[in-house]
C-alpha cells in the first residue's frame, strides 16, 4: 500500500529484524533459545522439568529409567517443543503480516545520497519505456515463424504459443545439454528447477549429469552472461530474453515429444539468431510503432519523473541500443513531441555493452530523418541525436565523471556493470519483477509459510544434537516438513523456477550480481516520485554470520515500523 502524499511508505521488517526490535517475534526467538539454547542440552525447564539436565537415553537410563522409556520421553519432549514453537509462531503471524513491503520503495545496496547526483542517465527499453506482456507474445510468435520459414524447422511448432509465466529472468541455459535451470550465488543448481523442454528433469539425473549440483566456474557464462570462449552456459539477464527462453523450451519439447534427433548447439544458435532478427530487422519496432498503446505502459509516470528532475535543474541523458525512429515514437507517446528538450544528450544505437569498452567507435550525428552525417563531433549538443560512439569519448566531451552521475538500466551486465566497476558512476537497476514478488511476499500465505519455516529451521539447528535413533526419527520428520515448505515457498512465486532473487535460502546468481553492480534498485523509475532529491538511501545492515544479531541502530525510525516524512513532487 502506498503511503499518503507527503509520507514515505512504511517499510517491511523481516522476521530477524522484528526479533531485534523487541517485538513479539523477539520474544518468540528468545523463547526458542530458552527451549533449546545453542550448544546446550536443548532441554527446557518448563517443557521437561524432571529431566532438564538429561540429554540422552543413556543418561535417562543411568537415572533409573529403561532406554525405551527414555526414548519415549525424549521423543515426547521433542514434539512438545515443536508444538509449543508452532503455537507461538501462529500467534504472531497476524502482527508480522502488518509489516508489509511497499512495492514503490527504492532499495539500497550501497549508501547513496541524491543530493550528490547532478546528472541522471537512462536506458530506454524497460527503463523509460515499459512494455505490456503483448510484446513478449509478439517476439515469440515472430521468432517461431522465422525458425519455420527460414531455418526449416517443423511446421508443428506453430502449435506452441507463448507461455507468459513459464520462465523467470536470470536463468542459465546449458547449451550442450539443452537444460534450463536456476543457479545460486555459489554456483549450485537449485534442484527441482532444471527443465528439458517444458518438463522437469529429476534430481537424480541432474546429479548424475553434473556429478553433483555444483557448476564449475570454467563452464559458467562469461562476464556479460554469454556462452562464448568455451563457456557452455548462457545466462538470460534482460527482460527481452523471456520469450527466447520460452521458445527454446518449446522447440526442445517438440523435438523430444516426436523423438527427433537434433543438435542442441544448433538449436540454441538458431533460436538466438531468430530472436535477434526480430530486433535487427526492425520487425518488433514497426509492430510497436503501429500500435503503441497496445505495447507501452506507465507513460505518465515516466513523464512525471523526467519533469521533476528537469524542474530541479538536473542534467539528463539517454543512451539506448534502440534506433531513433523507435525511441522517438515511444517518447512522443510518453512525454510529447518536445521530449528532446528534457535531455542534454541523446545517443541511439549505442551498441552496449561495447559502448562502455570499445574506444574506437566515434559518434555520428543523425538528422531527424535518420540520415547519418560525416562531420567530426566536437560537442554533444542538446536537441541533437547521436549514434554509436563510446563512453570514453562521452566522458571527454561532457566531463560527466564519477559519483555525481546516476545511470538507470534494466540489464545488470550490459547497462550497469562496467559503469560501476570501471568508471565510478552510481547505478540504479530497474527490476519490474519486484512489484509482483513483493505483492506475493505481503500475502498471508507467504508470511505464514516463511515464518514457520524460519522457526522450524531454528528448531532443527538446535535439536540435531540428539543423535539417538528415536530422536533422529523425529528430526527427519521435521527435515521432510522443511523440504516440503521450501518447495511450497518456491511455487508461490513460480511453479517451475521460483523467485528471481532466491534459491531457497541462498541468493540467486542474478541476485548476487544485482547487489554488486547496482547501488539502488526498484520496480520502476516512477519510484523516484516518492522521494525528494536530497534523500539519502541507507542499505539495511544485516549481521554477517559471525556477528551478533543485534544492532543498536535497529531501533531507529528507519528500522522500526514508523512512517517518516519526505517531500513529494509537487508538495513543497
Amino acid at each position: 500500500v502506498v503511503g499518503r502524499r507527503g509520507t514515505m511508505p512504511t517499510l517491511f521488517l523481516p522476521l530477524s529484524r522484528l526479533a531485534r526490535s523487541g517485538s513479539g517475534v523477539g520474544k518468540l526467538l528468545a523463547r526458542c533459545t530458552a527451549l533449546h539454547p545453542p550448544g546446550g542440552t536443548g532441554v527446557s525447564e518448563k517443557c521437561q522439568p524432571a529431566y532438564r539436565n538429561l540429554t540422552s537415553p543413556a543418561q535417562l537410563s543411568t537415572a533409573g529409567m529403561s532406554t525405551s522409556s527414555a526414548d519415549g520421553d525424549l521423543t515426547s519432549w521433542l514434539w512438545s517443543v515443536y508444538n509449543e514453537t508452532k503455537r507461538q509462531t501462529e500467534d504472531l503471524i497476524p502482527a508480522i503480516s502488518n509489516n508489509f513491503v511497499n512495492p514503490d520503495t527504492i532499495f539500497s545496496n550501497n549508501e547513496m545520497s541524491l543530493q550528490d547526483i547532478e546528472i541522471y542517465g537512462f536506458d530506454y527499453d524497460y527503463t523509460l519505456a515499459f512494455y505490456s506482456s503483448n510484446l513478449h507474445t509478439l517476439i515469440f510468435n515472430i521468432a517461431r515463424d522465422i525458425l519455420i520459414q527460414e531455418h526449416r524447422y517443423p511446421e508443428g511448432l506453430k502449435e506452441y504459443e507463448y507461455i507468459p509465466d513459464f520462465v523467470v529472468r536470470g536463468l542459465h541455459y546449458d547449451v550442450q545439454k539443452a537444460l534450463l535451470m536456476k543457479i545460486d550465488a555459489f554456483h549450485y543448481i537449485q534442484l527441482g528447477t532444471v527443465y528439458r523442454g517444458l518438463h522437469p528433469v529429476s534430481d537424480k539425473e541432474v546429479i548424475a549429469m553434473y556429478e553433483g549440483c555444483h557448476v564449475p566456474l570454467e563452464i559458467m557464462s562469461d562476464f556479460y552472461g554469454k556462452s562464448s570462449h568455451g563457456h557452455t552456459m548462457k545466462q538470460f539477464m534482460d527482460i527481452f530474453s523471456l520469450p527466447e527462453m520460452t521458445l527454446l523450451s518449446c522447440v526442445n519439447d517438440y523435438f523430444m515429444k516426436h523423438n527427433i534427433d537434433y543438435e542442441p548447439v544448433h538449436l540454441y544458435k538458431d533460436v538466438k539468431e531468430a530472436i535477434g532478427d526480430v530486433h535487427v530487422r526492425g520487425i518488433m519496432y514497426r509492430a510497436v510503432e503501429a500500435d503503441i498503446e497496445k505495447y507501452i505502459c506507465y507513460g505518465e509516470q515516466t513523464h512525471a519523473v523526467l519533469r521533476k528532475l528537469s524542474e530541479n535543474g538536473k542534467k539528463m541523458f539517454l543512451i539506448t541500443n534502440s534506433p531513433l525512429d523507435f525511441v522517438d515514437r515511444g517518447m512522443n507517446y510518453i512525454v510529447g513531441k518536445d521530449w528532446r528538450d528534457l535531455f542534454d544528450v541523446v545517443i541511439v544505437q549505442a551498441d552496449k555493452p561495447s559502448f562502455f569498452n570499445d574506444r574506437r567507435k566515434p559518434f555520428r550525428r543523425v538528422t531527424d530523418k535518420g540520415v547519418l552525417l560525416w562531420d567530426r563531433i566536437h560537442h554533444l549538443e542538446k536537441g541533437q541525436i547521436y549514434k554509436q560512439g563510446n563512453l570514453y569519448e562521452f566522458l571527454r566531451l561532457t566531463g560527466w565523471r564519477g559519483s555525481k552521475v546516476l545511470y538507470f538500466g534494466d540489464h545488470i551486465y550490459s547497462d550497469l556493470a562496467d559503469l560501476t566497476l570501471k568508471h565510478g558512476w552510481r547505478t540504479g537497476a530497474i527490476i519490474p519483477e519486484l512489484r509482483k514478488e513483493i505483492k506475493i511476499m505481503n500475502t498471508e500465505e507467504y508470511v505464514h509459510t516463511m515464518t514457520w519455516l524460519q522457526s522450524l529451521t531454528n528448531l532443527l539447528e538446535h535439536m540435531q544434537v540428539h543423535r539417538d535413533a528415536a530422536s533422529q526419527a523425529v528430526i527427519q520428520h521435521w527435515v521432510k516438513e522443511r523440504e516440503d515448505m521450501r518447495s511450497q515457498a518456491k511455487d508461490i512465486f513460480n511453479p517451475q523456477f521460483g523467485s528471481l532473487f532466491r534459491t531457497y535460502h541462498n541468493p540467486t546468481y542474478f541476485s548476487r550480481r544485482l547487489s554488486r553492480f547496482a547501488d539502488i534498485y526498484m520496480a520502476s523509475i516512477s519510484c523516484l516520485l516518492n522521494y525528494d532529491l536530497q534523500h539519502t538511501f541507507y542499505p539495511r545492515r544485516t549481521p554477517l554470520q559471525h556477528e551478533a544479531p543485534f544492532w543498536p541502530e535497529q531501533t531507529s525510525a528507519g528500522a522500526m515500523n514508523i512512517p517518516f516524512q519526505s517531500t513529494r513532487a509537487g508538495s513543497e
Side-chain angles (χ1 to χ4, degrees), residues 475-533:
I475 298 296
Q476 288 308 307
H477 274 289
W478 298 351
V479 168
K480 177 63 168 58
E481 181 181 359
R482 179 174 181 264
E483 290 303 310
D484 291 343
M485 291 184 67
R486 281 160 56 128
S487 294
Q488 290 172 20
K490 174 186 80 75
D491 292 348
I492 290 174
F493 292 99
N494 177 283
Q496 293 75 234
F497 301 101
S499 168
L500 172 64
F501 301 97
R502 283 202 180 272
T503 55
Y504 295 137
H505 56 283
N506 283 340
T508 58
Y509 197 88
F510 175 95
S511 188
R512 177 62 60 89
R513 272 126 194 89
L514 172 66
S515 66
R516 177 64 185 89
F517 299 141
D519 291 295
I520 56 176
Y521 65 100
M522 64 208 78
S524 73
I525 204 74
S526 65
C527 296
L528 279 171
L529 296 173
N530 295 318
Y531 301 82
D532 64 43
L533 298 183

Side-chain angles (χ1 to χ4, degrees), residues 441-475:
M441 288 166 52
N442 289 338
T443 62
E444 184 176 345
E445 178 188 9
Y446 179 82
V447 171
H448 186 282
T449 300
M450 293 308 299
T451 305
W452 175 233
L453 181 59
Q454 291 285 77
S455 296
L456 183 59
T457 300
N458 188 56
L459 199 63
L460 280 166
E461 182 179 6
H462 290 85
M463 292 305 182
Q464 63 182 318
V465 297
H466 300 287
R467 302 296 180 185
D468 59 283
S471 296
Q472 283 299 305
V474 175
I475 298 296

Side-chain angles (χ1 to χ4, degrees), residues 338-391:
D338 59 346
W339 68 271
R340 295 190 204 176
D341 296 341
L342 293 171
F343 293 92
D344 295 271
V345 178
V346 176
I347 301 167
V348 298
Q349 292 177 281
D351 193 26
K352 295 179 291 182
S354 296
F355 178 87
F356 299 126
N357 298 287
D358 190 345
R359 299 171 182 260
R360 295 170 297 177
K361 294 181 180 179
F363 286 108
R364 295 195 72 169
R365 194 152 56 91
V366 187
T367 69
D368 289 345
K369 295 183 178 180
V371 177
L372 294 173
L373 303 182
W374 46 261
D375 55 317
R376 186 190 298 271
I377 303 300
H378 296 284
H379 305 283
L380 296 177
E381 300 175 9
K382 187 170 185 175
Q384 299 295 322
I385 305 293
Y386 300 91
K387 178 182 177 181
Q388 293 182 344
N390 65 83
L391 184 64

